[in-house]
């Protein structure tokens, strides 16, 4: 294209000089594949011909003398100082602080310490218990008393403000790290980058060259090894294991799920305990109590539980082996919706409510006296000097119960299989099994033990956070395994008949060179060089 210009020679020289300086300062930019030929005509000399290579750069702004009607370019906005500027930069600074690795590790250690302290301090006990266990006149470690426990909420550690606050802080750090570090890494890893210089390829962690080879053959072999291969002219880019770059984000998400589930369990669950004699009922909603502000009752709270039977099994030594409760569940209309016999480690689940078998006791003895009765005698737990053995006792009056000096027969039982009887003087009288139909005579009275009525100790709870915690741990195990995958990248460039190869990986750095050498050994050698061995100019993709 020819352009006829009639400016002064001095003006032309300055323009060419400015254009030449612009080209030198932006020599790293790609030039356009066309030229402009300018023929300059002056009165002093003949034609002057110049060829100028234009780069992809914006021209310098014209001065006011060149274009008086054109408005001056807008000035870039000035960086604001003071309170406004601080407010604009505040979120970025907060994200930088929160995403600090040392801070996150410190938060996790603090949470672990609080959890350990929560296992050391008894949870959910009444105030009198802590006053006696951690008195002010004998503080633990010289300063720790019951006031610390109640003030900081350590009697319900996992729903205390300190514990939940640390969980929120750790969750914020994880999200900040994901936003500022992990997501940008993934964005960079997903980009297809081609290297057009053999010197740049040689600077990679691993580099090699094949003197008589084709980059196309290398691409086919890399595809067979599981790489995603992309080609553009003589350049090749391949990668595999991109999932390993996504895995840290998944790990953070899994940890957030676990913490969210734990918080939901601490603030959204219901708990309760009840001891029910055999043959009696209770309503679930009357037993369960909320644990936090997220606790919401459901329709299953109207369910009525009936204890059909309670019984125990024993070892040959006579010790209790296992205890069972035969339970029936009735809806609000009185219809039985579920029946199950539960035991320790075999709970009943219905409508999000779990019923655990946790304890037992003896509520009453049913006896005959001289053929009269039966009399139901309430059994009371007795205090023993140490040990975890249970003992229950009751008293059968033999005189007028309204008398000021009541005498009677004492009965003791440690389980449901035998009863020990004592006379009015406290002397041992004998042992009888319930329902043995063998009366025993004590102080002229015939006593027959018909039955020992047991009571089942049940713990009830609802925990909506359990599925979330399980999902979080499952995702954590999966993403942790995926994060072990290496993200490997390979670049290659065809230079004549020589192929330059370079690569790097983020893991398994010792195995990566050996793997790449094995792949390069499989690239076929070109015996006769020909002009058509060069790579195509069109970009292709494979994998």
């Amino acid at each position: 294209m020819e352009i006829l210009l009639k400016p002064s020679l001095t003006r032309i020289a300055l323009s060419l000089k400015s254009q030449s300086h612009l080209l030198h300062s932006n020599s790293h930019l790609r030039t356009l594949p066309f030229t402009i030929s300018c023929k300059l005509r002056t009165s002093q000399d003949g034609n002057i011909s110049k060829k100028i290579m234009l780069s992809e750069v914006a021209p310098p702004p014209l001065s006011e003398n060149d274009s008086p009607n054109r408005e001056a370019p807008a000035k870039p906005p000035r960086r604001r100082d003071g309170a406004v500027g601080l407010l604009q930069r505040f979120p970025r600074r907060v994200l930088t602080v929160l995403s600090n690795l040392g801070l996150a590790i410190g938060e996790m250690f603090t949470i672990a310490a609080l959890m350990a302290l929560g296992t050391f301090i008894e949870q959910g006990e009444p105030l009198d218990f802590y006053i006696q266990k951690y008195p002010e006149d004998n503080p633990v470690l010289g300063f720790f008393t019951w006031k610390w426990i109640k003030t900081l909420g350590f009697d319900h550690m996992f729903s205390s403000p300190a514990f939940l606050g640390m969980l929120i802080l750790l969750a914020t750090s994880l999200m900040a790290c994901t936003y500022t570090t992990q997501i940008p890494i993934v964005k960079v890893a997903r980009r297809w980058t081609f290297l057009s210089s053999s010197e740049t390829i040689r600077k990679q962690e691993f580099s090699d060259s094949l003197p008589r080879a084709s980059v196309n053959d290398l691409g086919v072999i890399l595809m067979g090894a599981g790489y995603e291969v992309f080609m553009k002219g003589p350049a090749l880019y391949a990668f595999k294991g991109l999932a390993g770059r996504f895995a840290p984000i998944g790990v953070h998400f899994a940890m957030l799920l676990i913490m969210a589930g734990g918080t939901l369990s601490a603030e959204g669950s219901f708990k309760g305990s009840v001891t029910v004699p055999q043959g009696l009922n209770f309503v679930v909603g009357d037993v369960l109590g909320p644990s936090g502000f997220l606790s919401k009752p459901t329709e299953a709270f109207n369910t009525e539980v009936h204890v059909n039977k309670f019984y125990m099994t024993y070892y040959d030594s006579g010790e209790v082996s296992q205890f069972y409760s035969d339970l029936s569940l009735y809806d609000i209309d009185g219809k039985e919706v579920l029946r199950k016999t539960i035991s320790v480690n075999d709970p009943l689940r219905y409508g999000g409510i779990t019923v655990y078998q946790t304890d037992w006791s003896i509520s009453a003895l049913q006896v005959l006296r001289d053929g009269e009765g039966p009399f139901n005698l309430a059994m009371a737990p007795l205090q023993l000097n140490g040990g975890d053995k249970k003992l229950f006792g009751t008293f059968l009056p033999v005189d007028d119960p309204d008398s000021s000096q009541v005498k009677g027969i004492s009965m003791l039982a440690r389980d449901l299989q035998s009863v020990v009887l004592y006379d009015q003087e406290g002397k041992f009288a004998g042992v009888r099994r319930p329902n043995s139909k063998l009366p025993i005579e004590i102080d002229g009275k015939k006593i027959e033990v018909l039955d020992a009525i047991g009571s089942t100790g049940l713990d009830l709870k609802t925990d909506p956070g359990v599925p979330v915690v399980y999902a979080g741990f499952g995702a954590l195990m999966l993403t942790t395994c995926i994060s072990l995958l290496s993200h490997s990248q390979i670049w290659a460039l065809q230079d004549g008949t020589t192929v330059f190869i370079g690569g790097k990986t983020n893991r398994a750095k010792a195995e990566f060179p050996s793997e790449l050498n094995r792949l390069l050994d499989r690239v076929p050698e070109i015996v006769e060089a020909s002009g058509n061995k060069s790579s195509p100019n069109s970009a292709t993709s494979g994998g």
Side-chain angles (χ1 to χ4, degrees):
M1 172 174 67
E2 293 188 358
I3 303 176
L4 297 179
L5 304 176
K6 295 183 179 180
S8 66
L9 184 60
T10 304
R11 183 77 172 271
I12 296 172
L14 291 176
S15 177
L16 292 177
K17 185 177 179 180
S18 175
Q19 191 69 264
S20 175
H21 174 72
L22 180 63
L23 291 174
H24 284 292
S25 63
N26 296 279
S27 58
H28 65 281
L29 297 176
R30 185 169 61 87
T31 58
L32 294 175
F34 62 88
T35 62
I36 295 179
S37 177
C38 300
K39 292 184 178 180
L40 308 179
R41 184 176 300 169
T42 65
S43 61
Q44 288 84 0
D45 55 0
N47 294 340
I48 299 177
S49 178
K50 295 285 184 178
K51 287 188 177 181
I52 305 174
M53 300 296 295
L54 297 182
S55 61
E56 292 178 343
V57 64
L62 298 176
S63 64
E64 293 181 358
N65 294 332
D66 294 329
S67 180
N69 296 327
R70 182 170 180 174
E71 296 181 359
K75 296 181 179 180
R78 266 175 33 180
R79 184 174 177 178
R80 296 183 180 181
D81 296 323
V84 177
L86 181 62
L87 185 62
Q88 291 177 345
R89 298 189 297 271
F90 180 75
R92 174 59 61 178
R93 293 184 179 183
V94 171
L95 289 177
T96 302
V97 172
L98 289 174
S99 59
N100 182 269
L101 178 61
L103 176 62
I105 293 176
E107 293 165 355
M108 287 190 287
F109 271 106
T110 304
I111 291 174
L114 291 175
M115 293 175 66
L117 188 61
T119 59
F120 175 77
I121 300 175
E122 294 82 358
Q123 300 291 296
E125 299 293 338
L127 178 60
D128 293 340
F129 173 85
Y130 297 105
I131 294 177
Q132 295 178 4
K133 187 73 179 290
Y134 305 96
E136 293 186 81
D137 55 356
N138 187 22
V140 179
L141 301 178
F143 70 95
F144 194 78
T145 66
W146 65 271
K147 289 186 177 180
W148 285 87
I149 297 176
K150 299 303 291 185
T151 301
L152 299 176
F154 287 173
D155 56 332
H156 51 280
M157 174 65 76
F158 303 103
S159 60
S160 64
F163 187 80
L164 294 180
M166 290 305 304
L167 285 183
I168 294 173
L169 185 58
L170 178 58
T172 307
S173 294
L174 289 176
M175 290 187 289
C177 179
T178 301
Y179 178 75
T180 60
T181 305
Q182 299 301 333
I183 293 179
I185 288 177
V186 171
K187 289 181 177 179
V188 171
R190 292 183 61 188
R191 294 173 183 168
W192 305 346
T193 56
F194 297 92
L195 301 182
S196 58
S197 171
S198 59
E199 288 79 8
T200 306
I201 292 179
R202 290 193 186 100
K203 294 179 182 179
Q204 301 301 318
E205 296 176 0
F206 174 88
S207 63
D208 201 350
S209 63
L210 300 177
R212 290 189 298 273
S214 171
V215 71
N216 293 329
D217 296 335
L218 175 62
V220 173
I221 291 175
L222 291 176
M223 289 170 60
Y227 282 83
E228 296 284 338
V229 179
F230 304 90
M231 297 186 65
K232 183 178 182 181
L236 176 146
Y237 171 69
F239 72 89
K240 73 173 182 178
L242 186 59
R245 288 295 190 182
F246 285 93
I249 299 177
V251 171
H252 289 180
F253 176 73
M255 295 179 67
L256 290 174
L257 272 182
I258 294 172
M259 289 186 289
T263 303
L264 186 58
S265 295
E267 294 294 335
S269 60
F270 286 84
K271 296 180 181 179
S273 300
V274 63
T275 300
V276 187
Q278 176 179 300
L280 296 185
N281 305 340
F282 68 92
V283 177
V284 170
D286 295 339
V287 176
L288 291 175
S291 61
F293 64 94
L294 297 177
S295 301
K296 304 297 181 184
T298 63
E299 294 183 359
F301 279 45
N302 296 321
T303 303
E304 185 178 45
V305 181
H306 178 74
V307 182
N308 300 312
K309 186 178 181 181
F310 174 78
Y311 60 97
M312 296 187 290
T313 57
Y314 305 90
Y315 294 110
D316 294 338
S317 62
E319 297 291 332
V320 176
S321 170
Q322 182 64 279
F323 37 100
Y324 302 86
S325 296
D326 180 9
L327 305 179
S328 291
L329 274 60
Y330 297 89
D331 60 17
I332 195 171
D333 298 324
K335 179 182 178 181
E336 186 180 52
V337 293
L338 181 64
R339 180 170 182 173
K340 181 180 179 180
T341 299
I342 67 172
S343 60
V344 178
N345 298 326
D346 184 19
L348 180 149
R349 294 182 173 89
Y350 173 75
I353 301 170
T354 305
V355 182
Y356 297 93
Q357 178 73 73
T358 58
D359 202 1
W360 64 273
S361 65
I362 303 176
S363 61
L365 279 181
Q366 195 174 72
V367 300
L368 291 176
R369 183 183 65 182
D370 292 335
E372 298 179 354
F375 300 99
N376 290 326
L377 306 178
M379 297 286 282
L382 304 178
Q383 294 288 341
L384 298 178
N385 295 326
D388 57 353
K389 301 293 183 180
K390 290 189 175 186
L391 184 64
F392 302 88
T394 189
F395 182 79
L396 176 64
V398 294
D399 292 333
D400 185 4
D402 297 329
S403 174
S404 59
Q405 294 182 348
V406 179
K407 294 183 178 181
I409 301 171
S410 301
M411 304 179 190
L412 301 178
R414 66 173 188 174
D415 49 44
L416 300 180
Q417 62 181 347
S418 61
V419 178
V420 182
L421 296 93
Y422 298 86
D423 61 14
Q424 300 182 48
E425 303 298 329
K427 296 179 180 180
F428 174 75
V431 179
R432 288 293 184 269
R433 288 183 176 275
N435 203 26
S436 64
K437 299 181 180 180
L438 294 176
I440 182 174
E441 186 171 345
I442 304 175
D443 297 332
K445 304 290 184 180
K446 286 186 178 182
I447 307 299
E448 181 180 347
V449 181
L450 297 181
D451 194 9
I453 302 174
S455 294
T456 178
L458 304 175
D459 277 0
L460 288 78
K461 64 179 293 187
T462 65
D463 196 342
V466 168
V468 181
V469 172
Y470 283 175
F473 274 108
L476 182 62
M477 292 186 289
L478 178 62
T479 53
T480 300
C481 294
I482 295 176
S483 66
L484 299 178
L485 297 176
S486 299
H487 178 230
S488 303
Q489 296 173 283
I490 296 175
W491 293 269
L493 182 65
Q494 182 87 51
D495 188 0
T497 60
T498 302
V499 178
F500 295 94
I501 304 101
K504 66 179 182 178
T505 185
N506 65 332
R507 302 186 188 276
K509 294 183 179 294
E511 293 80 3
F512 179 69
S514 301
E515 176 193 1
L516 195 50
N517 280 326
R518 288 193 299 269
L519 295 176
L520 296 182
D521 291 340
R522 296 167 52 189
V523 178
E525 182 180 2
I526 300 176
V527 178
E528 296 182 0
S530 61
N532 57 3
K533 288 288 184 180
S534 59
S535 301
N537 291 327
S538 59
T540 60
S541 170

